[in-house]
Amino acid sequence: MSITMSKTTILFFISSFLIILKSNAQTQLWSDTFEDAGAPSSGTRTPSVTFNCAGPPSTAYFYRTNLAGVALQSGAYSGFQGTKFWAGEDIDNGAPCVNSSISPTQTVICSGINISGKGGLSFRGLFAANNAFANNWEGSGAGVNQDVLTIEYRIDAGAWTKIVAFYASAAANSTTLKLETTGDLQGDGADLTYVFTEYTAAMAGTGTLLDLRVTFSSNNGATEEMAVDNLRVFYLTALPVELTDFNSLCANDTETITWNAESEINFDHYTLEQSTDLVEYTSLAEIPSKSTGGGPAEYAYTLHPNASNQQLYYRLGMVDLDGTTEYSAPIAAKNCASSPSNEALLGYFFQDDQLILNLKHSEVEIELFSLLGQSLTDVLCGEETLKMIPIRENNTKFYLLRVTDLKDNQTLTYRIYHP
């Protein structure tokens, strides 16, 4: 028997299931700025090798340096913290300064970061690379010579988990390294440039000791300059605001975001933000705190109709009086307008250990992947317009959902969030 649900009903389930019970602020626990003093702030930094050839400035290298220490082909690094950073180019030259004398893949491991009693761990770091030398970065078709820049972590000597990665944007060569988000070893996000740019990632789990591993890989085939700086680890501490009932509601084709605060102590305001990919967010509004004595308060914000019919997500930024900010988990919503969608997936929500999909019709094929591209299901048929997919308990927050509409011969991939 087929079970159908209206768009309004599915939105109710989506929004009411994702409730924030407590807000937190990020506090820095550890850093490595690669400066001469105070870096790393604790633990040990261990590179697999260090060397630099020719110069100064050097033309092949893997070492801690400053701007004057490296010969850059197409410009100059900017936006780094302090004066020093870790940089690599033509790494397979090694200390003999001879092409192919060592592996082009080398690492810097920061170990012994004490995380005892800390939860909600996250990473931040600055990354840069040459983005102006034609077809310099080798893609997955180059095999062991593929150029990469990645960050991984492990807790208590467990398995390494990749959290930030940059690859060429094709199996062949490309002009830039791009952020990689789908697990296919090809960059699909923002370009790395000579301007150091911050990237962040959550780190699931906790324990006693955390290790970070930075992996560079570049051979002598072309100009392949890349660098990292200001690596940091954060943990969550409680903010003086307690939220409940963060919802997206539809009425008369209009969407309203509502939330309740059980308490607001020394609290200033909220920012409501919107995203289509759970990565980039746009600020929609700033809402001042209503509570004058730290007690409960109710909020509602009505949105303009969304004509694009894209899958939308919302989150709240919660700003303390001292400027400390933390974000809620996102809630998912669909356009409340009554115009029909041309997508087979109308909405989704998680309940217990299942991902539940609301489908426009049953003639679909469904596949679920991790962000690194690992297949988590066989190809599933819709069969019913309400499809339930079991989710294994693996601390994963984000998934890729591929939905193929067999009627319209259309395949769309969604990035979805598991609270």
Side-chain angles (χ1 to χ4, degrees):
M1 175 179 176
S2 176
I3 303 174
T4 60
M5 300 178 72
S6 69
K7 188 178 294 185
T8 301
T9 303
I10 199 80
L11 283 168
F12 171 78
F13 277 109
I14 292 170
S15 57
S16 63
F17 185 72
L18 303 177
I19 296 175
I20 313 304
L21 297 179
K22 195 68 176 178
S23 179
N24 298 280
Q26 291 186 327
T27 301
Q28 185 168 309
L29 172 67
W30 173 91
S31 69
D32 191 351
T33 61
F34 299 102
E35 298 300 311
D36 292 334
S41 60
S42 64
T44 304
R45 181 203 311 133
T46 307
S48 54
V49 298
T50 58
F51 74 92
N52 59 296
C53 301
S58 300
T59 57
Y61 46 83
F62 188 70
Y63 75 138
R64 188 176 68 96
T65 183
N66 57 22
L67 194 58
V70 292
L72 299 177
Q73 176 75 26
S74 309
Y77 287 133
S78 63
F80 46 89
Q81 190 277 339
T83 61
K84 294 194 173 181
F85 46 85
W86 195 278
E89 181 184 3
D90 296 343
I91 296 172
D92 62 343
N93 277 252
C97 297
V98 175
N99 188 31
S100 301
S101 62
I102 67 171
S103 169
T105 303
Q106 300 296 332
T107 63
V108 179
I109 296 179
C110 299
S111 57
I113 304 169
N114 188 349
I115 58 171
S116 297
K118 302 296 190 295
L121 299 173
S122 62
F123 164 83
R124 299 182 193 177
L126 300 178
F127 300 83
N130 187 317
N131 64 309
F133 192 83
N135 292 328
N136 55 321
W137 299 107
E138 294 169 291
S140 56
V144 296
N145 288 327
Q146 182 179 14
D147 299 317
V148 302
L149 176 57
T150 66
I151 291 285
E152 300 166 286
Y153 79 96
R154 67 180 181 185
I155 295 175
D156 294 336
W160 289 104
T161 299
K162 187 189 305 180
I163 50 175
V164 180
F166 303 92
Y167 293 87
S169 59
N173 291 17
S174 64
T175 304
T176 61
L177 286 182
K178 291 179 178 286
L179 180 68
E180 199 276 330
T181 65
T182 63
D184 63 358
L185 305 185
Q186 293 184 18
D188 55 275
D191 292 322
L192 282 186
T193 72
Y194 276 135
V195 180
F196 277 82
T197 301
E198 182 173 276
Y199 288 84
T200 67
M203 296 185 289
T206 190
T208 302
L209 294 177
L210 171 74
D211 302 328
L212 294 177
R213 181 169 69 181
V214 190
T215 299
F216 289 67
S217 187
S218 71
N219 68 343
N220 197 254
T223 298
E224 298 158 339
E225 305 153 344
M226 49 184 145
V228 299
D229 193 21
N230 200 20
L231 311 180
R232 286 151 290 156
V233 173
F234 291 78
Y235 68 97
L236 294 184
T237 55
L239 267 179
V241 59
E242 185 174 354
L243 290 181
T244 59
D245 302 323
F246 180 27
N247 296 323
S248 169
L249 304 175
C250 285
N252 299 322
D253 296 340
T254 299
E255 184 176 19
T256 300
I257 306 300
T258 65
W259 67 96
N260 297 334
E262 292 299 316
S263 63
E264 296 176 339
I265 303 171
N266 298 323
F267 185 67
D268 189 72
H269 70 274
Y270 300 91
T271 59
L272 178 63
E273 300 183 1
Q274 182 186 79
S275 175
T276 59
D277 59 8
L278 290 166
V279 177
E280 299 293 334
Y281 283 84
T282 301
S283 179
L284 299 177
E286 181 175 305
I287 301 96
S289 170
K290 289 183 178 180
S291 178
T292 57
E298 297 181 355
Y299 297 86
Y301 186 84
T302 299
L303 298 164
H304 295 294
N306 171 38
S308 69
N309 203 36
Q310 288 180 291
Q311 175 73 59
L312 298 178
Y313 305 89
Y314 303 101
R315 72 178 183 184
L316 285 175
M318 295 160 284
V319 185
D320 197 6
L321 288 175
D322 64 4
T324 303
T325 304
E326 177 59 17
Y327 294 96
S328 71
I331 58 173
K334 195 69 174 178
N335 183 11
C336 293
S338 57
S339 58
S341 170
N342 62 353
E343 299 179 21
L345 179 66
L346 297 179
Y348 73 88
F349 62 97
F350 287 91
Q351 192 169 45
D352 299 324
D353 294 325
Q354 291 184 320
L355 167 62
I356 303 176
L357 309 178
N358 185 32
L359 302 169
K360 187 176 182 180
H361 55 77
S362 61
E363 294 182 35
V364 299
E365 290 181 347
I366 302 160
E367 297 172 89
L368 190 67
F369 302 88
S370 72
L371 279 187
L372 296 179
Q374 177 188 8
S375 177
L376 302 178
T377 65
D378 296 327
V379 176
L380 305 173
C381 297
E383 298 173 356
E384 297 178 332
T385 56
L386 192 67
K387 182 67 177 178
M388 301 180 184
I389 303 174
I391 297 294
R392 295 190 296 269
E393 190 64 36
N394 56 6
N395 294 320
T396 298
K397 292 292 185 181
F398 295 95
Y399 296 88
L400 296 175
L401 178 70
R402 181 182 297 162
V403 179
T404 299
D405 188 332
L406 300 178
K407 280 188 174 182
D408 296 337
N409 194 28
Q410 173 179 253
T411 299
L412 296 174
T413 301
Y414 304 84
R415 183 195 299 264
I416 62 176
Y417 175 81
H418 183 195

